[in-house]
Amino acid sequence: MSEQPPSPSSPTDGTDADALGETYFETVEMTPEPSTDEPATDEASTDEPATDPASADEGLAEQPTFAGLGLNEDLVAVLDKLGYEEPTSIQQEAIPRLLEGTDLLGQAATGTGKTAAFALPMLQRLANRQGARTPMALVLTPTRELAMQVSQAIHTYGKSMGARVLPIYGGQPIVRQLKELQRGVDIVVATPGRALDHISRRSFDLELLEIVVLDEADEMLDMGFADDIEAILDGVPRDAQRMLFSATMPKRIAKLAGRHLHDPVRVTIEHDGPAGGEDPRIREVVYVVQKHHKPAALARVLDVEGPEATIVFCRTRNDVDELTETMNGRGYRAEALHGGMSQEQRDRVMSHVRGGTTELLIATDVAARGLDIDSLTHVVNHSVPSAPESYVHRIGRVGRAGREGVAISLVSPREHSALRSIERHTGRKMEIDTVPTVADLRAKRLGLIRAAMREAILGAELDTFRPVVESLSDEFDLVDVALAAIKLAHDESSSDGDERDVPQASLDHSQGKGGGKKKSRPEGGGPNAGKRLNSADAGRVWVNLGRDAGIRPKDLVGAIANETSLAGRDIGAIQISARFSLVEVPAGAVDEVIDSLSRTRIRGKSPKVRRDAAS
Ligand code: AMP
């Protein structure tokens, strides 16, 4: 649970397909790892081959690369291993200037790749540094969740070079933080209040800082941290490099920047007003689901929409590989396309797509650039693209030459600010729809069977089957015979895969512009024991763990708040018996809670979870 302080012995095994979600803290000096566990290719993500299948079709402009921005080989290798194929816009603009030591004022929201934009130059400076005085960099973030997330990201980018990153935030025992600071930390990621606390205890010396970053500065000011930030910045050496990132640029941010940044380069990755390129023949649909429900949502949408051919966009090669495997496991004919594949492999994939043997092409933006596939009817954004322009490019893959197309975006609550940037860019409001339910799917399948039967009655030679019907008609009513035939056709046509409704999530605007989670989580034991949800809105979830398993209310609250879109305050009464527990949650969230808790561990045990019979 995120309440737990990160362990200094967190594994750093290098198998970081999605390393940003795993370990993020390491205070032990490490020896550099082997640069990659993937087979070496001559097509590093930073060096996309000119013979891309896309380029064969339309030709490619010269592509930006991480190496071209001035990053060193080690960092380029890390990014390659993470599957980043090319720098995002903010990375292209910010990294070269930051490497020169310039101050920066960046207007960019979460989802644009801004963390890597400031973290990579910071790590390069750390690598080039002779002195051992620490900490050399401080990143201030508005919430502890964001502090952990940013710390996790910097750790992932810097672990092969032995960078020591420490998140410090309120709510975690200060003694532990003091110990880690004493052992030596290169980069501190902190919430302003706790940072000041350490500064006043002299456990953290601002004088040594070479870089200071304000991340989501508008959020920090909104949360009342203005004085804390001023106090901290006043203590930072004059010649330290300063970076300020903010999703919005109100006057107070401009003033803050004016007071503390020296001759900053200004980078804006947000575009106001409508852009060209929109195509009314493209139906745009947004579904809001938690990240771990995206594959199930994708499967459901594909089943109901029945596309001819679909392209699904992911951010990284690793995401592409993972989703391809998942979708194949679910029975779809999916193939991956990304820059880590050889030209021969890519050509083969493209011929499968064009020949109709592959229905699902799962790709990175770079690999799919310029592709023109006639049969394509659907584009899916498995994650919201980092730049609004990419969205326009992605959806432009369908609706070509007057044909109709569908663009589907699977958006997690965290991605809401990126979605808003796209709306501002296209000048169109994106309608949020509900993921088709099992009932919708059934209705769709029955509709297809009806149409097929109609066709058979009208056209085909049915006499061969007449003896079967006639012999059964002696014994049964003809309608029952017809119903049985439909059932057989239905069972034949429907896969026995996942037939559960995909839990809906909502864009929680209280999460703030930066998208950092801000769930209120009750501290201490038994916070919800007496709380009641309005019974009309409440559902109850049964968990097979109780007092005998050492379960306390806060274990259940923590697990639910961590794993679902619910916050602690959304959870109602909790009843803990010796062998099981009952938790009251909003009725609409029961399925999501069951699904999420079933996959997690509570006090080290895998729980069995179901809807309580009485709810
Ligand atoms: P941020 O805007 O920093 O919150 O980053 C959003 C997400 O984009 C994170 O999951 C990063 O891992 C990912 N990301 C950052 N840069 C790139 C890139 N160049 N290519 C692909 N993914 C990236």
Side-chain angles (χ1 to χ4, degrees):
M1 263 182 261
S2 62
E3 303 268 304
Q4 295 302 317
S7 155
S9 56
S10 296
T12 53
D13 59 9
T15 53
D16 49 0
D18 186 12
L20 300 198
E22 295 164 5
T23 64
Y24 54 92
F25 177 74
E26 183 60 68
T27 52
V28 183
E29 201 83 49
M30 283 170 290
T31 47
E33 334 176 279
S35 62
T36 172
D37 57 7
E38 291 175 353
T41 73
D42 54 353
E43 302 165 14
S45 61
T46 52
D47 190 13
E48 202 69 19
T51 47
D52 185 293
S55 66
D57 288 337
E58 292 186 358
L60 282 178
E62 196 178 315
Q63 284 173 15
T65 64
F66 284 106
L69 301 181
L71 291 174
N72 68 30
E73 273 176 20
D74 290 346
L75 289 172
V76 170
V78 169
L79 300 170
D80 187 36
K81 197 171 164 197
L82 285 172
Y84 291 8
E85 300 226 79
E86 65 173 353
T88 64
S89 307
I90 191 158
Q91 290 160 5
Q92 287 173 41
E93 296 204 30
I95 290 174
R97 303 305 305 272
L98 290 175
L99 286 172
E100 287 166 4
T102 316
D103 282 4
L104 182 125
L105 176 59
Q107 182 169 359
T110 293
T112 52
K114 71 179 157 68
T115 313
F118 67 73
L120 296 169
M122 183 185 280
L123 289 165
Q124 184 142 321
R125 171 160 341 188
L126 179 65
N128 294 341
R129 218 162 147 259
Q130 302 300 329
R133 286 154 38 104
T134 60
M136 59 85 74
L138 168 67
V139 182
L140 290 173
T141 69
T143 63
R144 67 172 169 181
E145 283 80 6
L146 193 61
M148 290 167 72
Q149 190 181 305
V150 167
S151 170
Q152 217 169 49
I154 303 179
H155 169 71
T156 302
Y157 301 136
K159 74 177 167 193
S160 65
M161 53 178 272
R164 299 164 303 174
V165 190
L166 179 69
I168 58 177
Y169 45 81
Q172 192 194 35
I174 198 153
V175 182
R176 184 190 170 85
Q177 296 171 353
L178 290 170
K179 222 163 70 199
E180 297 303 341
L181 284 167
Q182 230 164 31
R183 281 171 61 182
V185 171
D186 301 307
I187 299 166
V188 170
V189 185
T191 48
R194 188 51 74 97
L196 262 188
D197 200 345
H198 281 284
I199 292 162
S200 62
R201 288 167 185 255
R202 301 190 178 282
S203 46
F204 177 29
D205 190 355
L206 288 174
E207 304 245 313
L208 304 176
L209 287 182
E210 294 179 26
I211 298 176
V212 62
V213 181
L214 304 186
D215 192 14
E216 300 197 359
D218 50 355
E219 285 281 307
M220 288 199 277
L221 295 195
D222 284 351
M223 291 172 72
F225 286 131
D227 291 344
D228 291 358
I229 290 172
E230 292 283 351
I232 294 170
L233 289 179
D234 283 343
V236 174
R238 260 196 75 73
D239 58 353
Q241 185 178 28
R242 292 162 164 80
M243 312 171 198
L244 185 157
F245 292 87
S246 188
T248 58
M249 250 337 128
K251 270 207 185 98
R252 341 178 260 132
I253 296 286
K255 275 193 191 153
L256 182 72
R259 270 197 304 279
H260 295 283
L261 304 186
H262 308 302
D263 211 4
V265 53
R266 185 163 176 165
V267 176
T268 302
I269 309 293
E270 276 222 328
H271 301 260
D272 289 313
E278 65 221 57
D279 191 327
R281 286 185 305 275
I282 301 175
R283 173 163 60 90
E284 290 171 81
V285 192
V286 173
Y287 297 114
V288 182
V289 287
Q290 293 293 345
K291 194 174 163 200
H292 59 276
H293 290 136
K294 284 186 174 183
L298 174 60
R300 176 61 44 76
V301 169
L302 292 173
D303 288 350
V304 170
E305 294 267 341
E308 209 172 308
T310 305
I311 185 164
V312 184
F313 284 101
C314 295
R315 282 213 156 171
T316 68
R317 291 175 190 176
N318 299 349
D319 292 345
V320 165
D321 286 336
E322 204 175 298
L323 184 64
T324 307
E325 206 177 309
T326 308
M327 295 313 286
N328 275 309
R330 285 174 175 264
Y332 298 85
R333 284 171 293 145
E335 291 205 58
L337 188 76
H338 60 59
M341 296 161 57
S342 71
Q343 188 59 42
E344 203 183 309
Q345 286 172 315
R346 294 168 173 218
D347 288 345
R348 198 173 324 124
V349 170
M350 288 315 298
S351 74
H352 290 167
V353 175
R354 295 209 158 94
T357 48
T358 288
E359 57 188 341
L360 213 52
L361 179 66
I362 303 183
T364 55
D365 289 279
V366 171
R369 191 165 286 158
L371 281 185
D372 190 4
I373 306 165
D374 276 348
S375 54
L376 218 56
T377 50
H378 288 62
V379 172
V380 178
N381 294 300
H382 190 256
S383 48
V384 179
S386 63
E389 297 88 339
S390 306
Y391 177 83
V392 177
H393 287 145
R394 285 180 178 185
I395 73 169
R397 307 270 142 250
V398 291
R400 290 191 165 196
R403 291 191 300 270
E404 292 201 343
V406 183
I408 290 159
S409 299
L410 303 176
V411 179
S412 70
R414 259 206 81 224
E415 292 176 305
H416 76 102
S417 59
L419 191 69
R420 297 286 162 260
S421 299
I422 291 170
E423 288 183 339
R424 277 196 293 278
H425 181 68
T426 61
R428 290 193 298 275
K429 177 113 187 79
M430 310 261 268
E431 293 304 328
I432 295 175
D433 212 337
T434 47
V435 180
T437 59
V438 175
D440 295 334
L441 181 60
R442 234 172 251 148
K444 164 86 182 178
R445 283 182 183 146
L446 292 179
L448 289 174
I449 291 175
R450 184 181 180 281
M453 288 185 77
R454 233 181 141 258
E455 217 166 283
I457 295 168
L458 289 174
E461 176 53 65
L462 295 175
D463 277 346
T464 336
F465 308 106
R466 194 171 293 278
V468 180
V469 177
E470 283 179 351
S471 69
L472 284 169
S473 69
D474 292 344
E475 202 181 339
F476 302 103
D477 187 84
L478 272 181
V479 172
D480 287 335
V481 174
L483 287 174
I486 294 171
K487 179 185 183 303
L488 292 176
H490 176 264
D491 291 352
E492 187 75 4
S493 73
S494 58
S495 66
D496 49 6
D498 97 277
E499 293 284 303
R500 296 167 66 186
D501 281 335
V502 180
Q504 299 285 146
S506 59
L507 291 180
D508 181 358
H509 297 276
S510 70
Q511 284 178 10
K513 295 175 226 57
K517 281 197 211 161
K518 276 191 233 154
K519 293 171 178 176
S520 72
R521 185 172 306 146
E523 310 272 357
N528 294 50
K531 198 169 117 187
R532 284 250 158 242
L533 289 173
N534 180 344
S535 61
D537 302 328
R540 282 209 303 181
V541 173
W542 178 92
V543 184
N544 74 330
L545 301 174
R547 256 194 323 276
D548 291 354
I551 296 295
R552 300 154 303 174
K554 73 172 180 183
D555 297 320
L556 295 162
V557 173
I560 294 172
N562 270 334
E563 300 298 330
T564 70
S565 58
L566 297 182
R569 62 173 176 273
D570 301 326
I571 301 165
I574 295 178
Q575 190 186 324
I576 298 190
S577 309
R579 311 283 275 282
F580 66 89
S581 306
L582 291 168
V583 187
E584 216 174 46
V585 296
V590 168
D591 287 341
E592 184 194 353
V593 171
I594 293 173
D595 191 66
S596 303
L597 285 191
S598 307
R599 297 162 194 257
T600 192
R601 293 173 82 80
I602 304 178
R603 291 190 73 79
K605 298 189 178 62
S606 299
K608 285 202 173 55
V609 190
R610 58 173 161 74
R611 186 183 286 272
D612 178 42
S615 76

